[in-house]
Amino acid sequence: MNGHHLLGLLATEHVPADLADQVITCGPVAAAVGCPSQAGATRQGLDHHAAVVAWCRRAAFLPARAGIPIAPELLRAIAQSAWCYRSTIEHLEGRVEISVDVERRDRARQDGVAGGGRAYLRAAALDLNACEVGLATAASLLAMYAERANADLNARTAPLPAVRLRASILVPRATAPRLAQQLDGVLNAISARLVCRVTGPWPPYSFSTIREPT
């Protein structure tokens, strides 16, 4: 397995028979491995994502980030935390990730430039305050909709002067399309100063907890 990398983890007993030669058993979990590639970093990332998606279609799967090399130390660490990983894998079953990105619209940053001096500073401060209020509203709405959908939510905002909120929602697969549509409509209606992008469904990358040995 020299040069191979980790794709993710799944329950040992749920490894499809036709993919048994692509995993390394670590007790109650199995590590899915990818073949080495000589492609550039971008191509490697795309190949990794495609492989993770393929595994997610076959079983409940805990994806790894791209580029984690297979090594004896990693396999020992996985085996030692196997039951913790099993619990996470079971929680991920039947769920997908939706990504939400809310930020200040480009044209909003230019408002008030023509005023100059004190007028410009006042306009800029008012705009920033309005954007902050909008982001707070977006965060509250995300929490509400995630709770209604029985979903897990990871949300974080960038420190000022950036105006940005990024969130990942782990939601049951069956309700993901409806939730994504609702969020797109509700969050884009908060303020003309903000724009929201909702993408997915994705493999649950943001909810992966695979740790590399130190």
Side-chain angles (χ1 to χ4, degrees):
M1 288 295 175
N2 186 34
H4 285 61
H5 60 276
L6 180 67
L7 296 174
L9 306 176
L10 69 162
T12 298
E13 68 271 22
H14 293 158
V15 175
D18 59 316
L19 298 176
D21 61 341
Q22 299 181 33
V23 304
I24 301 173
T25 301
C26 300
V29 298
V33 301
C35 296
S37 173
Q38 301 302 317
T42 299
R43 183 70 254 174
Q44 287 179 0
L46 292 173
D47 290 345
H48 177 88
H49 176 69
V52 166
V53 169
W55 275 101
C56 287
R57 290 172 177 165
R58 302 294 300 274
F61 195 72
L62 179 64
R65 64 169 177 80
I68 299 179
I70 293 293
E73 296 80 8
L74 173 66
L75 298 178
R76 283 195 294 269
I78 290 172
Q80 289 170 358
S81 302
W83 287 109
C84 179
Y85 289 134
R86 276 294 295 261
S87 177
T88 302
I89 292 167
E90 290 167 4
H91 182 66
L92 294 176
E93 187 169 6
R95 295 172 178 252
V96 293
E97 179 176 322
I98 294 174
S99 295
V100 178
D101 195 346
V102 182
E103 63 181 343
R104 184 160 43 167
R105 196 179 298 273
D106 285 342
R107 66 175 178 81
R109 298 188 180 98
Q110 300 171 1
D111 289 347
V113 171
R118 184 176 298 177
Y120 166 77
L121 293 176
R122 179 175 175 78
L126 290 173
D127 178 69
L128 183 60
N129 182 67
C131 288
E132 287 185 89
V133 171
L135 284 187
T137 301
S140 296
L141 288 170
L142 277 169
M144 182 182 72
Y145 275 88
E147 183 177 4
R148 287 181 180 177
N150 188 31
D152 298 341
L153 173 66
N154 285 339
R156 58 196 182 278
T157 55
L160 295 176
V163 177
R164 188 169 194 175
L165 181 151
R166 284 182 171 175
S168 301
I169 307 171
L170 185 68
V171 61
R173 185 183 299 274
T175 59
R178 177 174 174 80
L179 179 61
Q181 184 178 33
Q182 290 176 328
L183 292 175
D184 184 72
V186 169
L187 298 180
N188 274 304
I190 291 174
S191 171
R193 290 179 168 88
L194 300 173
V195 60
C196 172
R197 300 177 183 86
V198 181
T199 61
W202 304 106
Y205 290 114
S206 299
F207 299 87
S208 176
T209 56
I210 298 175
R211 295 175 294 276
E212 293 183 71
T214 56

